[in-house]
Amino acid sequence: MNLNELKTFVTLVETKHFTKTAEELYISQPTVSLHLKHLEERFGQQLIHRHSFNKTVKVSEAGEVVYRYAKELLHQVTRLDQEMDERIGITKGTLRIAATHTIYETMLEEMIHRFLIAYPDVSIDVQVMNQEQVEQALLHYEIDLGLVEGIIHLPQIEAVPFASDRLRIIGHRKLALDQATWIYREDGSVSRLALESWLQHQQITPKRVITVHSNRLIKQLILNGTGISILSERLAGALLESADFKIHEGVAMKERTFQFITLKGEVTRLAQKWMDEQITSR
């Protein structure tokens, strides 16, 4: 089976567009079509439904099966390439990482800098997601390594602790808990779940809620007195000591653990080197 054809197919499924696939892989559009034709001939089934009007595509049921196995095969090829490079003392390739917002905003810059000093020939592709998205990206071979702060319940995923943190409820002193605007993160966020649990224990029903997708925006909204929310101690910084802001305790906010997550038994060499480097440098 031609790995380039599988890679083209995976990219086509993800971009849903022949032209975008060609541009991303630096090949011609006819080559994309030829790779797809070869795969469809091999399996004797249509893998893609083409829309001639806007040149987009829809994956068939058979195509979904091929896509799932192709992702896994390409992941294993990456592991093989890195294993063979390791045998001759070479460390290269691309490490695909996804981190939750708190880690992305407070720790990742230093971690990337440290890793690239140790391994200058490695490229890094970084995305920011909430924890649920990170776990799903890992399961679907879209990333090699996740950095999260919540509890992992999926048996396919292995977690390695690397740091600790605590969430705190913070707002301007002038804001009353039962009257204030509460600032939430989006669904799937660990901090949102923690805030909702805290409010439930305090028997507070917010009169108004703002939902945002950035911890730094939450911090700015707290700073300007817009509302009350939950923040990592690492990101809150000087807010914790400011006389203008109040830390609302109530139910104790437990210390949480930041973790690296990988698929059990399928860790790439680069992901392992990242974890070893960060833990050793602590």
Side-chain angles (χ1 to χ4, degrees):
M1 186 176 294
N2 189 308
L3 291 176
N4 286 330
E5 291 176 355
L6 289 179
K7 185 175 182 180
T8 298
F9 180 71
V10 165
T11 307
L12 181 59
V13 171
E14 292 175 349
T15 64
K16 296 181 171 59
H17 202 284
F18 280 83
T19 302
K20 290 179 180 177
T21 297
E23 291 173 350
E24 187 167 321
L25 296 178
Y26 299 101
I27 58 178
S28 68
Q29 192 168 324
T31 300
V32 175
S33 298
L34 183 62
H35 286 180
L36 176 60
K37 179 184 177 182
H38 287 168
L39 287 173
E40 290 183 328
E41 288 175 347
R42 176 185 177 88
F43 296 115
Q45 301 177 64
Q46 186 175 7
L47 304 180
I48 293 290
H49 300 300
R50 301 157 179 80
H51 299 287
S52 57
F53 176 72
N54 56 12
K55 297 184 179 180
T56 59
V57 300
K58 181 179 180 181
V59 188
S60 68
E61 289 187 10
E64 291 286 0
V65 174
V66 173
Y67 173 74
R68 185 172 71 252
Y69 279 97
K71 291 283 285 188
E72 184 173 352
L73 281 169
L74 292 172
H75 175 75
Q76 297 303 337
V77 169
T78 296
R79 292 185 66 208
L80 173 60
D81 286 341
Q82 293 179 11
E83 180 86 19
M84 297 308 291
D85 285 342
E86 181 83 4
R87 293 175 64 87
I88 56 176
I90 296 174
T91 302
K92 63 179 182 179
T94 299
L95 176 60
R96 302 171 302 164
I97 297 173
T100 51
H101 287 252
T102 298
I103 298 171
Y104 185 91
E105 294 171 346
T106 62
M107 300 185 69
L108 201 54
E109 179 181 352
E110 180 182 345
M111 296 170 84
I112 291 172
H113 179 69
R114 182 186 304 129
F115 184 76
L116 291 182
I117 289 175
Y119 301 103
D121 294 326
V122 174
S123 297
I124 296 180
D125 181 349
V126 181
Q127 301 178 64
V128 59
M129 306 175 179
N130 64 42
Q131 176 147 338
E132 181 179 334
Q133 292 168 333
V134 174
E135 292 176 12
Q136 289 303 310
L138 195 60
L139 289 176
H140 291 92
Y141 299 100
E142 293 167 5
I143 59 172
D144 306 307
L145 177 70
L147 288 76
V148 301
E149 68 259 26
I151 297 172
I152 304 298
H153 300 290
L154 298 174
Q156 308 98 308
I157 292 178
E158 187 168 29
V160 177
F162 68 89
S164 61
D165 184 45
R166 191 182 301 275
L167 289 169
R168 308 303 292 270
I169 309 293
I170 308 174
H172 200 282
R173 288 192 174 276
K174 68 181 180 183
L175 298 177
L177 294 178
D178 58 348
Q179 298 296 320
T181 296
W182 287 86
I183 308 164
Y184 282 31
R185 281 282 311 282
E186 76 283 356
D187 285 333
S189 165
V190 172
S191 59
R192 179 186 179 116
L193 292 173
L195 177 56
E196 289 175 335
S197 176
W198 188 89
L199 288 168
Q200 184 177 6
H201 278 97
Q202 296 296 309
Q203 298 183 327
I204 296 172
T205 301
K207 293 187 178 298
R208 184 170 66 167
V209 169
I210 298 173
T211 302
V212 302
H213 291 247
S214 164
N215 288 323
R216 291 197 180 278
L217 179 55
I218 288 178
K219 183 175 181 178
Q220 289 303 313
L221 291 171
I222 293 172
L223 278 167
N224 66 24
T226 299
I228 303 174
S229 191
I230 189 167
L231 272 182
S232 156
E233 284 186 341
R234 291 176 180 270
L235 186 59
L239 280 177
L240 299 174
E241 307 298 330
S242 173
D244 295 327
F245 296 90
K246 183 175 181 180
I247 310 301
H248 299 279
E249 300 292 352
V251 176
M253 302 300 292
K254 295 180 180 178
E255 186 174 80
R256 59 182 183 163
T257 301
F258 290 165
Q259 303 174 93
F260 298 127
I261 59 171
T262 57
L263 287 177
K264 283 185 178 177
E266 298 190 45
V267 184
T268 66
R269 285 282 179 171
L270 290 184
Q272 187 63 57
K273 286 180 180 296
W274 171 281
M275 291 187 288
D276 292 344
E277 180 67 29
Q278 307 304 337
I279 291 172
T280 302
S281 301
R282 274 167 41 187

